[in-house]
Each structure stands twice: as C-alpha cells, then as structure tokens.
Amino acid sequence: MYKITLIPGDGIGLEVTAAMKRVVEASGVDIEWEEVIAGEAVLEEYGSPLPDYVLDSIKKNKIAIKGPITTPVGKGFRSVNVALRKELNLFANVRPVKTFKGIKSRYENIDLTIIRENTEDLYAGIEHQIGDYAGESIKLITRDASDRIVDFACKYLKDNGYKRLTGVHKANIMKISDGLFLRVFDEVSKRNGIERLAKGEAPNRVYADDVIVDAAAMNLVLNPEKFDVLVMPNLYGDILSDLCAGLVGGLGIIPSANIGEDYAVFEAVHGSAPQIAGRGIANPTALIQSAIMMLRYIGEHEAALKIENALKEVFDKGQVLTSDLGGKASTDEFADELCRLIRD
Ligand code: NAI
C-alpha cells in the first residue's frame, strides 16, 4: 500500500481531484490518500496559504498529487504552487504533450515534452517597487540550476527514446542571463553525448539544437511534430506549455510532474478555472494523466497502462466527452465511463 499526499486545491481542483481518485482506485492500486488543504481556505486560520502541515505531509510521503490553487492577481499572497516548488526543491517541471487520435485537432502526431526549470528566472520573486513610478523584477539564471535542468532533460530524452533536444532561450537580447543558460545547455548536452548536427548532416541520431523563444512559438504552431524534448527557463516553459496545450485539445488534457531529488508533486498544467468551478463540467483528463505519470514514477506500470488505454478508448469512441472537447458529459460522467472501461 502507498501513502500519497493529496492536495485538492480549489476551484475546479475539488472536482478533478475527486474524479482522479476514483479512476486511480478503479485501476486496482492500493493507495491511502493523506488529504491536506492549502490555499486561501486556510490562510486566516494558519496565517499562511501553505501551512507547515502540507510540506510535512509531502516530506513524509515523498509523493503528492495536487489540484490547482488560485493565486490572487497583482496583490495578496504569493503563489502556493511556486512556493511548493521552491520549498521542496522540485527543480524540473515535466510536461508531456501528445495527441490523442480521438480528440479533434489540426495536428496528428505530436509527441513532445517541455522541461521547464522550476526554481528561478522571474519566478524567484525578487521584485520591488520603486516609489509609485516603477516596478523591478530580477531575472535570476544560475549555472547550477541550468546545469541541473539540462542534465535532467538529457536523461529524459535518452530514457524515453527521443532524438532531438532543443534549448529555448532569448540569448540574443538577454546576453548575460539567457546567454549563460545557452552556454550551459551546450556544455551539458555535450557532456551527455548529445552533440549538435554538423552542417548538412541529416538528423538521423540523437542531437541538440537551440531556438530563440519567439521562433520556438512560431515553429511549435507550424511544425509541432518536429519537436521532441524542449528544455528552457521557467517563464518560457510556463508560456509555451499553454501554447502546446492548445495544439492537442486544450488545457484540460496536459499533465505535469514536478520532480526534485527527494520529492515529486504531480499536477495538471491548468489552473483553478474560476469561470467553470462548481458546475461539474471541468475535464479531469489533465489530472488523470498526471496520476498516470505518478503511477509510472512509483513503478505501477500496469495500472498506468490500464488508465491510459481507457482514456484512448473514451476519446476514440467520442461519445462521453466534457464540454471543452465538444461533448455534453459532466466531470463525473466522464470519470464513470473511465472507471467502467478500466474495470472491464
Ligand atoms: P486556467 O488554466 O484556470 O484557465 C484557462 C482557461 O482554460 C479557462 O477558460 C478555463 O475555463 C479553461 N480550463 C482550464 N482547465 C480546464 C479543465 N480542466 N477543463 C475545462 N476547461 C479548462 O488559467 P487562469 O484562468 O489563468 O488561472 C485561474 C487561476 O488558477 C489563477 O488564480 C492562477 O493563478 C491559478 N493557476 C494555478 C495553477 C496551479 O495550481 N498549478 C496553474 C495555473 C494557474
């Protein structure tokens, strides 16, 4: 039996975590969920949206899965999500983006992963006000964090049988911060035996290249099938992963894993979607796919495959779909259908 920390989050978090739990249970894995609350709901009582008991639970169980948590815009407490990643040193954010044949999209064969550095860049929270006339945020890129994330991406590429490792940056403008990231990208990919292609060489082997972030955005829309693993600083990863979600059916689909040396926290890429919260219509696929990543992480490959096959089948049939994918099913009806297919 596994003991896993479950943070339901808020907004649609409550609905999608309930659906995810039922689907994982249907797969037959024996999990005891340790449910802990974070976010605005506990702010007054504990004086923090991320009380110590949340971190203590994850430190004890080593693994957590969470629903999205609302962050006030432009004021109020700092993001619980960013704080969790920093406190637990979850340095790698892994976001696989794949097409499901059954989901309508302009593309057919997308299979790429965004690896986003999770601890620094403009998310380090080093910002201050200069009187009432300016705000200054510092973009911090360090050698150590860049080395660690590129090294992680190299291993991910090899472990998952991908060929192309792309470093994404804006080193033409931010020559010092992104310039360092790009230099480290070159050093670390070489150290891992992933060399750039020679001029005119066909891409018939594992290789590295780099793309400026704006060109990456365009090429991801034009030819997403040509990318495999993309590694980048925090902010570019945040933006490009939402862009990639749009290529395969939207934010309701894309999962993620926050991985550190000691702990791992799995969550959907999407947020708490306040516009549709409480209506029972959110698509739980992103969190269910995050649970699949979690099951593989703990070695429960058979259960992961059962859920993955059920998702494929439900999309292929196209009869029980949530409204973001053009269907009429509720979150619960979608989860019921998955549970039925898994048990069959
Ligand atoms: P969002 O991801 O919540 O919503 C963007 C759009 O996608 C909305 O139209 C929403 O209805 C739709 N959407 C998202 N997930 C969906 C799902 N599962 N099924 C169907 N439709 C879905 O992004 P937004 O509105 O920028 O952020 C809302 C709140 O969530 C903010 O407070 C933000 O800080 C927080 N957030 C939290 C994250 C986390 O906990 N990891 C990640 C991203 C945002």
Side-chain angles (χ1 to χ4, degrees):
M1 180 192 326
Y2 302 93
K3 201 163 178 184
I4 290 177
T5 301
L6 173 70
I7 307 170
D10 50 38
I12 59 167
L14 306 175
E15 297 148 64
V16 295
T17 46
M20 177 281 296
K21 247 166 82 175
R22 284 204 289 132
V23 169
V24 170
E25 278 156 17
S27 77
V29 190
D30 196 6
I31 294 178
E32 186 189 329
W33 306 101
E34 188 168 286
E35 213 161 304
V36 288
I37 314 285
E40 180 126 49
V42 296
L43 180 60
E44 213 175 285
E45 191 177 343
Y46 293 90
S48 160
L50 183 59
D52 285 346
Y53 63 76
V54 177
L55 292 168
D56 290 346
S57 169
I58 303 175
K59 284 181 182 162
K60 178 167 55 87
N61 297 326
K62 312 270 188 233
I63 293 175
I65 184 156
K66 67 174 279 289
I69 298 176
T70 306
T71 309
V73 177
K75 57 181 168 50
F77 59 84
R78 286 192 55 214
S79 164
V80 173
N81 311 302
V82 173
L84 253 184
R85 294 166 192 165
K86 273 191 87 174
E87 288 286 333
L88 299 172
N89 204 9
L90 303 169
F91 66 88
N93 193 328
V94 183
R95 298 178 155 187
V97 179
K98 288 186 193 175
T99 32
F100 276 103
K101 275 205 196 100
I103 296 180
K104 274 196 207 107
S105 122
R106 270 177 243 163
Y107 308 94
E108 281 179 1
N109 293 312
I110 299 177
D111 179 358
L112 61 86
T113 302
I114 294 206
I115 310 244
R116 164 186 176 192
E117 202 289 323
N118 229 0
T119 62
E120 54 180 29
D121 193 358
L122 283 160
Y123 290 68
I126 318 170
E127 59 174 5
H128 54 263
Q129 192 105 25
I130 305 170
D132 197 28
Y133 60 90
E136 189 171 62
S137 300
I138 293 180
K139 176 179 160 102
L140 177 74
I141 300 281
T142 64
R143 168 171 281 280
D144 279 358
S146 304
D147 187 308
R148 192 169 57 171
I149 195 69
V150 178
D151 195 62
F152 181 94
C154 292
K155 299 204 160 81
Y156 182 92
L157 176 120
K158 290 180 183 168
D159 289 349
N160 291 281
Y162 288 112
K163 246 166 70 188
R164 177 181 179 192
L165 179 71
T166 305
V168 180
H169 61 89
K170 188 82 186 173
N172 51 332
I173 303 297
M174 282 159 278
K175 293 180 195 290
I176 294 180
S177 52
D178 280 24
L180 174 63
F181 182 83
L182 181 56
R183 276 203 311 283
V184 174
F185 172 79
D186 272 327
E187 287 166 24
V188 177
S189 49
K190 259 191 209 144
R191 188 174 80 211
N192 279 277
I194 306 177
E195 302 274 349
R196 286 177 182 264
L197 293 172
K199 223 176 177 179
E201 183 185 352
N204 293 328
R205 60 170 171 86
V206 167
Y207 68 99
D209 66 354
D210 71 279
V211 186
I212 292 174
V213 62
D214 37 345
M218 184 191 69
N219 284 312
L220 278 165
V221 172
L222 284 179
N223 294 305
E225 303 87 352
K226 291 195 173 159
F227 288 96
D228 285 347
V229 176
L230 300 99
V231 59
M232 62 199 80
N234 211 333
L235 178 64
Y236 308 145
D238 193 1
I239 298 170
L240 289 188
S241 41
D242 273 33
L243 181 149
C244 287
L247 304 175
V248 296
L251 277 168
I253 310 293
I254 306 300
S256 84
N258 299 286
I259 309 276
E261 310 240 307
D262 302 312
Y263 316 109
V265 176
F266 298 82
E267 62 180 338
V269 167
H270 65 71
S272 55
Q275 312 90 328
I276 58 166
R279 291 167 54 195
I281 58 168
N283 186 348
T285 302
L287 194 66
I288 291 170
Q289 290 222 83
S290 309
I292 293 176
M293 292 177 83
M294 179 185 80
L295 291 172
R296 295 214 159 101
Y297 184 86
I298 60 176
E300 290 289 342
H301 297 281
E302 205 180 308
L305 192 64
K306 270 193 214 167
I307 302 176
E308 197 167 65
N309 285 339
L311 275 173
K312 278 186 192 148
E313 197 172 333
V314 96
F315 293 134
D316 279 348
K317 287 185 178 156
Q319 282 159 352
V320 184
L321 298 178
T322 45
S323 56
D324 56 317
L325 298 178
K328 290 200 173 79
S330 67
T331 311
D332 282 345
E333 286 163 347
F334 182 82
D336 287 344
E337 179 66 1
L338 282 177
C339 291
R340 193 183 64 73
L341 291 169
I342 291 165
R343 292 202 174 103
D344 276 1

